[in-house]
Structures are given as structure tokens and as C-alpha cells.
Amino acid sequence: MDFIKIALAKGRLAGDSLEMLKKIGIEFKEYSKKSRKLIFINNEEKIKLVFVKSTDIPIYVEKGAVDIGIVGKDILMENRADVYEILNLNIGKCKLCIAALKEYQSSRNRKLIVGTKYPNIAKNYFHRKKILSEVIKLNGSVELAPILGLSDVIVDIVETGKTLYENGLIVLEEMYSLSARLVVNKASLKTKGNKIEKIIMRLEEVIKENKDENS
């Protein structure tokens, strides 16, 4: 029987995802946070766990290198891939926000300069709002952009807001509520459909249980 390959990115989301998989009977006994291994195998369930950079997960799924991916909605919105978005797992919850220095004053009379890791999302958002903008792609520490005068505002993920607060920034607007999604390769859903659909159904039960516990 072919193995089902599931892609995750290391970090907090991986921990929550592995906990969900554990609840449906899929465990990887060799896995530990400290391990540098990238592939772990569950021979009983015939499943391989593959660790991939989060931004690469959609393309690994689209091209069939893996069958299933668990990835943040922000990544899917920024890097549109030809995959099936099957489930909202309701983990890794956060918001994509526009933030600026506390003293920032908006003006419609000039172009808005935006620093972000999410240029496609930002461009589409401000275009829809009919706000003239220039989007600067950044790869890290976007909070620095307004502090050093590189941008007027930033578009970034906000969980607690602590990083913004400590750097003198505030949220101006919440753009999108985000969470982790289960995505599936289109061909895999046909060729390995029975096994993948069982995983999906079992995860749906866990999602419902988690909702009931939190309601």
C-alpha cells in the first residue's frame, strides 16, 4: 500500500497539528521538537510526516510531492496553489492586521507605503479599498519598517499584539481572521481517496469535539 505523505512546518502549529493527528490515532514515536530529521514514518498507518518550510507547503501539495498539507490560511492567500482546501482545523488562530506607529496620521493625499511579508494580500486588499499604495516585500522584523521610516504602515500577523506594543506600534485595522487549513493534492484525492477521506472524516470529528469543549 502507498504511504500517505503529510507536510507540516515546524513550530507551534506543528505541535497543535500533531496533537490533532494523535487524537485520530496517528503518532510518530521518533518525533521530538529537538530532532533535525525532516521525515518521520508511522508504518502501522502507512503515513509519512514531512517537515517543510511553511511557505513551501502549498507547492509541495500542488505538485504531488506530498498528499496532504497543514498550513496557515495566510500562506494559502499569499501563494495561491492549485489544491483542494478541505478543512478549517481551527488551530493556529490569529489575525492579519494593518499596524503603524501610535503617532501615525493617515492621509488620502499621498501614496501609502506598506511593508509586509504578504505583498500579494496587501496589494489586493488596498486595491479593493481604492487606496493608492506601494507595497514593499520584507522577509522579517517588519515592525522595523515604520520605525526606520521605510514604510507608513505594515501588514502582518498578530496573535497577542505584544511585539507591536513593545515596538510602539498599534493595530489600525483587522483585515482577516486566520487559522490552519488542511489541503489535499487533487490527484491524490482520486488515487488514494479512501485513506485520505478516512483521515478527513476523523479530523472532522476532532474539530467538532474541540468546538463542543470550547462552547
Side-chain angles (χ1 to χ4, degrees), residues 185-203:
N185 173 267
K186 290 186 172 181
S188 296
L189 202 55
K190 294 175 183 175
T191 58
K192 303 178 184 178
N194 287 342
K195 186 149 189 184
I196 290 174
E197 283 169 12
K198 281 178 187 174
I199 292 171
I200 292 167
M201 288 172 63
R202 285 149 70 191
L203 283 171

Side-chain angles (χ1 to χ4, degrees), residues 7-10 50-58 60 71 75 139:
L8 291 182
K10 286 199 173 181
V50 184
F51 281 101
V52 177
K53 189 175 173 64
S54 60
T55 49
D56 292 338
I57 289 176
Y60 271 77
V71 65
I75 304 296
N139 293 306

Side-chain angles (χ1 to χ4, degrees), residues 21-173:
L21 292 173
K22 186 178 178 180
K23 285 183 178 179
I24 65 170
I26 300 172
E27 289 189 71
F28 302 90
K29 291 172 184 175
E30 291 183 352
Y31 170 76
S32 78
K33 289 181 184 178
K34 294 178 182 178
S35 176
R36 291 181 175 271
K37 278 183 66 176
L38 299 176
I39 298 177
F40 298 88
I41 298 173
N42 180 318
N43 282 305
E44 293 78 24
E45 294 283 336
K46 294 285 187 280
I47 292 174
K48 290 182 181 177
L49 179 69
V50 184
F51 281 101
V52 177
K53 189 175 173 64
S54 60
T55 49
D56 292 338
I57 289 176
I59 198 70
Y60 271 77
V61 176
E62 178 183 323
K63 298 298 183 184
V66 298
D67 304 296
I68 295 171
I70 295 177
V71 65
K73 179 66 175 176
D74 55 309
I75 304 296
L76 296 173
M77 291 171 69
E78 180 63 25
N79 308 291
R80 294 191 181 275
D82 188 19
V83 299
Y84 288 130
E85 185 180 324
I86 303 288
L87 289 177
N88 178 355
L89 298 174
N90 286 321
I91 56 175
K93 291 182 179 180
C94 55
K95 295 181 186 296
L96 193 65
C97 298
I98 302 168
L101 292 169
K102 291 174 185 174
E103 58 269 25
Y104 169 72
Q105 297 289 323
S106 64
S107 172
R108 284 273 183 169
N109 299 323
R110 63 182 182 83
K111 187 188 294 182
L112 181 72
I113 311 299
V114 183
T116 185
K117 297 173 188 172
Y118 303 98
N120 293 327
I121 296 175
K123 283 173 190 172
N124 292 335
Y125 188 82
F126 290 113
H127 179 72
R128 282 202 313 275
K129 292 261 187 175
K130 295 183 168 56
I131 296 172
L132 184 63
S133 64
E134 177 187 340
V135 176
I136 300 170
K137 169 77 163 73
L138 299 171
N139 293 306
S141 301
V142 293
E143 298 83 9
L144 280 172
I147 294 170
L148 297 179
L150 180 64
S151 72
D152 300 311
V153 301
I154 61 171
V155 168
D156 202 18
I157 295 291
V158 176
E159 290 184 45
T160 65
K162 187 178 178 184
T163 303
L164 292 179
Y165 176 79
E166 289 184 353
N167 288 284
L169 280 72
I170 58 169
V171 171
L172 300 179
E173 185 179 338

